[in-house]
Amino acid sequence: MSNTPHELNEEFPEFASKMTALKTSNAHFAKLAEKYHEVNRAVHRAETHVEPMDDLAMDRLRKQRMKLKDEIYAMLQA
């Protein structure tokens, strides 16, 4: 599969080392990051028609991804 857009390292390149550290030292952050990646992959598969879904389901996934991303960013800023 091609490169998945919206990966956390691409979204927050300035926090790459902090994300690595938090994934090993903070279980909540690690769980959020993993969930983000799961949702992001699902969005990408739907957008590329590997696993098509209706617009409502796609919107729900995108909103979930945005919520996770906001929470991750807040933790990175702390």
Side-chain angles (χ1 to χ4, degrees), residues 5-69:
H6 301 285
E7 290 294 332
L8 288 174
N9 285 334
E10 294 173 3
E11 295 293 310
F12 306 120
E14 69 277 19
F15 292 113
S17 61
K18 188 169 186 179
M19 282 189 282
T20 300
L22 282 171
K23 284 178 187 177
T24 59
S25 67
N26 185 316
H28 180 65
F29 184 86
K31 184 178 176 185
L32 285 175
E34 182 56 35
K35 185 65 179 174
Y36 177 88
H37 288 298
E38 288 175 19
V39 172
N40 188 45
R41 287 183 207 113
V43 170
H44 182 65
R45 286 191 306 269
E47 288 174 342
T48 57
H49 306 288
V50 172
E51 293 179 17
M53 63 178 63
D54 63 51
D55 290 343
L56 183 59
M58 177 72 83
D59 285 344
R60 284 186 193 132
L61 275 179
R62 286 181 177 149
K63 287 177 183 178
Q64 184 180 10
R65 179 176 65 183
M66 184 173 33
K67 183 179 180 237
L68 288 164
K69 184 176 166 185

